């Protein structure tokens, strides 16, 4: 059953700025949807419209089949976790968690059992009588999640909940959020600009660009078949190498002297792309092209080699290669590469759409 | 920078001791004077050590009559002052916190215009608008009444401004979290806003209580019946005796009594104040 339906949802701010032209999305029960995109693309706006914190200026929002456009946030049966946690500073952890229940007239005993259940699940039982000011960042984050969970809502909304945590804790919480969501099977809408978070958490990803959904799909769909150059560059780290090229009967002409052979019926200006991790080190005899090494980033398990494509032109075209294990090529040296055909991505140069 | 050389310590202590001496001397004179027999000030010298009339003076002033032209006991004046000061303080805080709440959290037409109008009343303290205010209070038949003493002093642009700043520093996410938690405007006000601004309320309480307690001109103008006289203004009338000697010993007792409540408020609230500052978890 579809849980949450966004029909032609749009937002124009009172100052006339159109943050979201139109978005259609239907979310199945228990699905984990991640909204991802660069800063200012309208992720928070969309989430806040679902929460009811921002008015919907166009379209319909349905939760479990009911149109909730004009309902107060409290009546929508949603719970939200904010980036800065937004815990009530003067209340204990327990009071923070049960405040929503109290306002809904839930009896004291029931509140107590619910808070205890959730506190146990999140490992907060020891902290129930502390104030938020006496907790670490990670603990506050948990309390914020606990506050959302005790309400047992139909939809969880998260707005960059992990961005204030350090890297290690972020990974740990990411895993935990995913496990909790599986266990509770609550439909979740999660905003992030971190694409690792997006890839690992999502059942389906929505990539937003300037308020438009560029592509909606599973993480692997987006990785394997990005629909646009924007998605291609956004998903994957380091991002995909993209080059302007002409598709002719001879193949993909990256420059006058560098042509990659490929039979394709399309003719015209294109963008040719390949991910850094799909380029293979080769030698002069077998290589498709070469690069001049400019910088090497050794990460231990892998090495990122930044260079410029040697295509016979003066114009420097940066290219990144990701190789497993340690490599130490000299700066300025030449490195030959092969680009396996199955990993090529072709996009129309004008529409930026996948060919 | 912390200097720890003996000379600088000696010097700083010396300066502090001189300061304490300067501040404390008048209080000491008042305390000593309140124990002297009648007329000891009129001999020309100021007594610097306790007399033997302490208990009688204090009992007389507190429970019989204040002396000079005042025929009512000082405990009654104290009560009047307390009613006025508390009325002004509580009224000011209540009104300004509610107006700041409206200005910060609600969208209504002419919101900022209204704020600036409130702000402009800063330029109109009681002394400036005293004639029209008197007229209004007289027409409302509130001369010689507690409400007449309190009401004109209740509006406070300063406090409204202070609460506005305090409310604006509350993160928007917190307000939204409360909305999602189902807290309506009233619940939000009492459950979140009031507890979060308690340090500001405590600070304002101290300042406003002293302001209210020390009111002089307004009570002087609108009270003609000495059952509504306040303590601070009556000290002046105790000094203006048409003939005969000023009863300095009684004046000193009254002065000390007038000092006590503000001191009590400052000392009492200071604890709460510091406590509020220490675990101010924002
Ligand atoms: N109240 C507002 N009035 C007008 N424009 C706004 C308002 N709030 C946001 N915007 C604009 O709407 C766009 C989307 O904002 P939004 O907060 O949704 O971005 P975001 O994707 O969440 O970005 P970030 O990752 O930085 O949080 C931005 O260009 C922003 O400037
Ligand atoms: Mg945002």
């Amino acid at each position: 059953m579809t849980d949450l339906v966004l029909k032609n949802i749009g937002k124009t701010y009172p100052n006339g700025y159109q943050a979201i032209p139109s978005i259609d999305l239907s979310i199945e029960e228990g699905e984990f949807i991640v909204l991802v995109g660069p800063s200012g693309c309208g992720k928070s706006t969309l989430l806040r419209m679902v929460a009811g914190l921002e008015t919907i200026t166009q379209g319909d929002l349905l939760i479990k089949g009911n149109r909730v456009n004009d309902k107060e946030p409290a009546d929508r049966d949603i719970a939200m976790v904010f980036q800065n946690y937004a815990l009530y500073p003067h209340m204990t952890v327990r009071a923070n968690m049960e405040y929503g229940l109290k306002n809904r007239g839930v009896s004291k005993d029931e509140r107590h059992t619910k808070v205890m259940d959730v506190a146990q699940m999140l490992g907060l039982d020891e902290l129930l009588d502390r104030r938020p000011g006496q907790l670490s960042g990670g603990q506050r984050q948990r309390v914020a999640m606990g506050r959302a969970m005790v309400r047992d809502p139909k939809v969880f909304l998260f707005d960059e909940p992990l961005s204030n945590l350090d890297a290690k804790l972020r990974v740990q919480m990411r895993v935990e959020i995913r496990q909790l969501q599986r266990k509770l099977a609550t439909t979740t809408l999660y905003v992030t600009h971190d694409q690792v978070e997006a890839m690992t958490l999502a059942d389906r990803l929505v990539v937003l660009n300037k308020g438009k959904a560029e592509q909606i799909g599973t993480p692997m769909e987006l990785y394997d078949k990005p629909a646009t150059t924007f998605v291609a560059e956004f998903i994957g780290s380091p991002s995909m190498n993209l080059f302007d090229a002409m598709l002719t009967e001879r193949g993909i002409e990256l420059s006058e002297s560098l042509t990659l052979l490929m039979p394709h019926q399309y003719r015209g200006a294109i963008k040719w792309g390949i991910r850094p991790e799909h380029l293979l080190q080769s030698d002069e005899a077998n290589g498709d092209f070469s690069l001049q090494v400019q910088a090497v980033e050794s990460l231990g398990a892998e090495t990122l080699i930044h260079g410029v494509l040697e295509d016979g032109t003066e114009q420097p075209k940066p290219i990144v290669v990701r190789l497993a294990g340690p490599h130490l090529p000299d700066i300025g040296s030449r490195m030959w590469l092969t680009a396996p055909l199955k990993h090529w991505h072709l996009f129309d140069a004008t529409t930026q759409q996948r060919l | 920078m912390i200097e720890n050389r003996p000379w600088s310590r000696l010097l700083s202590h010396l300066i502090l001791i001189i300061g304490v001496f300067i501040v404390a001397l008048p209080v000491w004179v008042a305390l000593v004077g309140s124990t002297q027999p009648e007329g000891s000030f009129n001999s020309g010298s100021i007594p610097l050590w306790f007399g033997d009339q302490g208990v009688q003076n204090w009992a007389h002033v507190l429970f019989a009559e204040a002396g000079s032209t005042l025929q009512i006991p000082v405990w009654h004046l104290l009560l009047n002052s307390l009613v006025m000061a508390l009325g002004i303080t509580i009224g000011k805080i209540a009104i300004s916190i509610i107006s700041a709440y409206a200005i910060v959290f609600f969208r209504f037409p002419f919101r900022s215009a209204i704020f600036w109008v409130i702000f402009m009343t800063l330029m109109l303290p009681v002394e400036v608008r005293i004639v029209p205010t008197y007229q209004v209070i007289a027409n409302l038949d509130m001369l010689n009444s507690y409400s007449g003493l309190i009401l004109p002093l209740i509006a406070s642009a300063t406090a409204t401004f202070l609460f506005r700043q305090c409310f604006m520093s509350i993160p928007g996410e917190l307000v939204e979290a409360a909305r999602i938690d189902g807290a309506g405007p009233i619940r939000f006000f009492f459950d979140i806003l009031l507890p979060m601004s308690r340090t500001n309320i405590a600070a304002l309480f101290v300042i406003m209580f002293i302001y209210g307690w020390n009111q002089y001109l307004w009570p002087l103008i609108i009270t003609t019946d000495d059952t509504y006289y306040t303590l601070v203004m009556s000290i002046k009338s105790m000094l203006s005796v048409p003939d005969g000697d000023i009863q300095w010993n009684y004046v000193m007792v009254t002065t000390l009594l007038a000092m006590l409540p503000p001191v009590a408020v400052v000392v009492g609230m200071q604890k709460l104040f510091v406590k509020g500052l220490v675990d101010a978890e924002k």
Side-chain angles (χ1 to χ4, degrees):
Chain A
M1 183 194 174
T2 47
D3 223 19
L4 184 63
V5 181
L6 283 68
K7 259 194 223 156
N8 185 25
I9 290 277
K11 173 74 188 181
T12 308
Y13 277 107
N15 65 359
Y17 179 77
Q18 191 180 34
I20 295 177
S22 168
I23 280 188
D24 283 291
L25 181 64
S26 54
I27 301 172
E28 300 296 319
E29 190 170 342
E31 223 181 344
F32 199 123
I33 299 285
V34 174
L35 298 172
V36 66
S39 186
C41 68
K43 307 180 293 288
S44 299
T45 305
L46 190 61
L47 194 75
R48 290 162 52 79
M49 282 197 287
V50 175
L53 298 170
E54 209 72 76
T55 54
I56 297 172
T57 52
Q58 169 198 314
D60 296 310
L61 177 68
L62 310 176
I63 296 181
K64 287 254 194 279
N66 302 317
R67 186 175 181 277
V68 294
N69 280 38
D70 305 315
K71 280 201 175 159
E72 269 293 302
D75 305 328
R76 290 190 182 190
D77 213 354
I78 50 106
M80 186 155 170
V81 177
F82 295 87
Q83 179 171 357
N84 296 314
Y85 320 138
L87 299 176
Y88 310 119
H90 57 285
M91 294 186 190
T92 60
V93 168
R94 181 195 306 278
N96 260 288
M97 281 167 67
E98 66 179 8
Y99 186 60
L101 297 175
K102 208 165 152 188
N103 288 339
R104 277 173 183 72
V106 177
S107 76
K108 201 168 174 190
D109 291 339
E110 205 182 329
R111 284 195 325 245
H112 186 78
T113 35
K114 281 192 171 176
V115 168
M116 287 318 283
D117 282 351
V118 171
Q120 239 143 38
M121 216 187 294
L122 291 170
L124 290 171
D125 6 15
E126 305 280 303
L127 307 173
L128 282 177
D129 295 315
R130 293 215 203 155
R131 303 252 183 93
Q134 302 161 321
L135 300 177
S136 73
Q139 290 168 331
R140 281 183 220 183
Q141 217 286 325
R142 263 167 217 272
V143 177
M145 284 188 16
R147 181 170 67 178
M149 280 163 55
V150 281
R151 296 245 320 275
D152 195 16
K154 291 210 180 74
V155 183
F156 276 138
L157 304 172
F158 292 87
D159 193 351
E160 308 201 16
L162 304 184
S163 55
N164 284 348
L165 302 180
D166 65 54
K168 200 173 157 200
L169 203 52
R170 202 179 303 171
V171 175
Q172 188 187 329
M173 286 306 292
R174 194 170 78 205
V175 175
E176 204 167 309
I177 288 181
R178 185 64 203 153
Q179 284 169 347
L180 279 172
Q181 197 269 344
R182 286 257 162 77
K183 191 154 131 199
L184 300 169
T186 308
T187 312
T188 302
L189 206 53
Y190 186 106
V191 162
T192 181
H193 60 248
D194 180 315
Q195 52 121 342
V196 179
E197 236 169 74
M199 297 289 283
T200 51
L201 285 173
D203 288 326
R204 279 195 296 157
L205 266 174
V206 180
V207 179
L208 283 179
N209 180 24
K210 301 200 185 100
K212 287 200 228 11
E214 289 268 332
Q215 189 173 3
I216 302 173
T218 66
M220 285 329 282
E221 272 168 26
L222 268 64
Y223 180 81
D224 289 337
K225 288 196 162 49
T228 62
T229 51
F230 181 85
V231 178
E233 288 193 290
F234 196 81
I235 301 293
S237 166
S239 59
M240 185 187 285
N241 298 300
L242 276 174
F243 302 99
D244 290 322
M246 289 298 292
L247 194 57
T248 64
E249 57 278 3
R250 286 173 39 218
I252 296 168
E253 293 184 24
L254 289 170
S255 73
E256 276 178 17
S257 58
L258 180 57
T259 302
L260 301 170
L261 296 179
M262 186 198 201
H264 202 290
Q265 54 274 46
Y266 184 83
R267 295 287 172 267
I270 59 154
K271 286 202 165 176
W272 175 76
I274 184 148
R275 294 193 183 277
E277 54 271 39
H278 293 148
L279 286 166
L280 302 171
Q281 202 175 8
S282 178
D283 51 36
E284 190 160 0
N286 301 312
D288 292 322
F289 49 78
S290 62
L291 66 78
Q292 192 189 5
V293 177
Q294 292 203 314
V296 179
E297 290 180 302
S298 301
L299 304 172
E302 59 186 37
T303 306
L304 300 180
I305 295 164
H306 299 258
V308 285
L309 187 67
E310 291 182 319
D311 61 350
T313 61
E314 289 299 303
Q315 198 189 4
K317 290 177 181 156
I319 180 168
V320 183
V321 185
R322 179 171 172 180
L323 301 172
H327 293 263
L328 270 178
D330 293 328
I331 307 293
S333 66
R334 174 173 294 171
M335 177 183 257
W336 283 92
L337 298 167
T338 48
L341 182 64
K342 63 175 178 186
H343 292 306
W344 292 8
H345 302 269
L346 304 185
F347 302 94
D348 187 314
T350 41
T351 62
Q352 309 285 318
Q353 298 289 322
R354 187 180 188 83
L355 286 178
Chain B
M1 190 181 76
I2 299 170
E3 288 264 359
N4 224 348
R5 273 168 301 184
W7 269 110
S8 68
R9 284 183 68 176
L10 194 74
L11 191 72
S12 52
H13 273 84
L14 208 68
I15 292 172
L16 288 176
I17 288 166
I18 292 172
V20 168
F21 184 75
I22 291 172
V23 173
L25 184 67
V27 181
W28 177 253
V29 170
L31 190 63
V32 167
S34 71
T35 62
Q36 299 294 330
E38 228 175 299
S40 64
F41 272 81
N42 302 338
S43 61
S45 66
I46 293 174
L48 285 176
W49 196 248
F50 294 104
D52 52 1
Q53 292 282 305
V55 179
Q56 289 97 310
N57 285 351
W58 281 73
H60 178 83
V61 168
L62 256 181
F63 302 114
E65 55 178 40
S68 303
T69 54
L70 286 173
Q71 264 89 56
I72 57 166
V74 167
W75 71 261
H76 196 101
L77 298 176
L78 243 140
L79 193 75
N80 287 348
S81 272
L82 211 63
V83 169
M84 180 180 73
L86 282 179
I88 291 175
T89 311
I90 293 168
K92 261 185 196 289
I93 289 176
I95 285 201
S96 53
I97 205 168
I98 293 169
S99 17
Y101 182 46
I103 285 168
V104 175
F105 292 105
F106 294 84
R107 302 279 163 276
F108 52 90
F110 307 114
R111 196 166 61 103
S112 58
I114 288 172
F115 173 71
W116 287 110
V117 170
I118 293 178
F119 197 65
M120 262 157 46
T121 61
L122 264 184
M123 286 181 275
L124 297 172
V126 199
E127 290 76 10
V128 176
R129 55 186 161 92
I130 204 146
V131 177
T133 307
Y134 183 86
Q135 179 79 50
V136 171
I137 294 296
N139 289 347
L140 290 175
D141 208 13
M142 288 203 284
L143 300 176
N144 285 319
S145 72
Y146 288 132
S147 40
L149 277 172
I150 293 167
L151 279 183
L153 299 171
I154 266 186
S156 171
T158 330
T160 310
F161 188 70
L162 219 121
F163 281 124
R164 173 179 175 264
Q165 297 308 101
C166 163
F167 290 170
M168 289 200 319
S169 73
I170 290 179
E173 284 191 349
L174 203 67
V175 183
E176 289 170 348
R179 250 181 99 189
I180 291 179
D181 268 343
I186 307 272
R187 278 221 183 100
F188 176 70
F189 183 74
F190 285 105
D191 290 349
I192 316 273
L193 219 49
L194 272 191
M196 280 187 71
S197 32
R198 67 188 188 285
T199 47
N200 285 54
I201 293 175
L204 266 178
F205 187 91
V206 173
I207 297 167
M208 291 307 168
F209 183 85
I210 293 170
Y211 165 88
W213 184 266
N214 287 339
Q215 278 307 311
Y216 176 69
L217 188 60
W218 182 249
L220 192 67
I221 287 176
I222 74 146
T223 53
T224 45
D225 177 352
D226 58 10
T227 46
Y228 287 103
Y229 278 8
T230 64
L231 194 51
V232 174
M233 62 167 280
S234 15
I235 293 175
K236 179 71 193 358
S237 57
M238 286 172 77
L239 294 179
S240 48
V241 236
D243 45 50
D245 290 339
I246 297 171
Q247 291 165 307
W248 279 107
N249 47 350
Y250 294 164
V251 174
M252 290 307 175
V253 177
T254 317
T255 313
L256 285 174
L257 281 170
M259 264 170 53
L260 282 180
V263 169
V265 165
V266 169
V267 171
M269 295 298 273
Q270 198 182 26
K271 263 189 184 166
L272 206 151
F273 203 57
V274 172
K275 188 168 156 264
L277 288 181
V278 168
D279 48 59
E281 11 26 2
K282 278 205 176 164

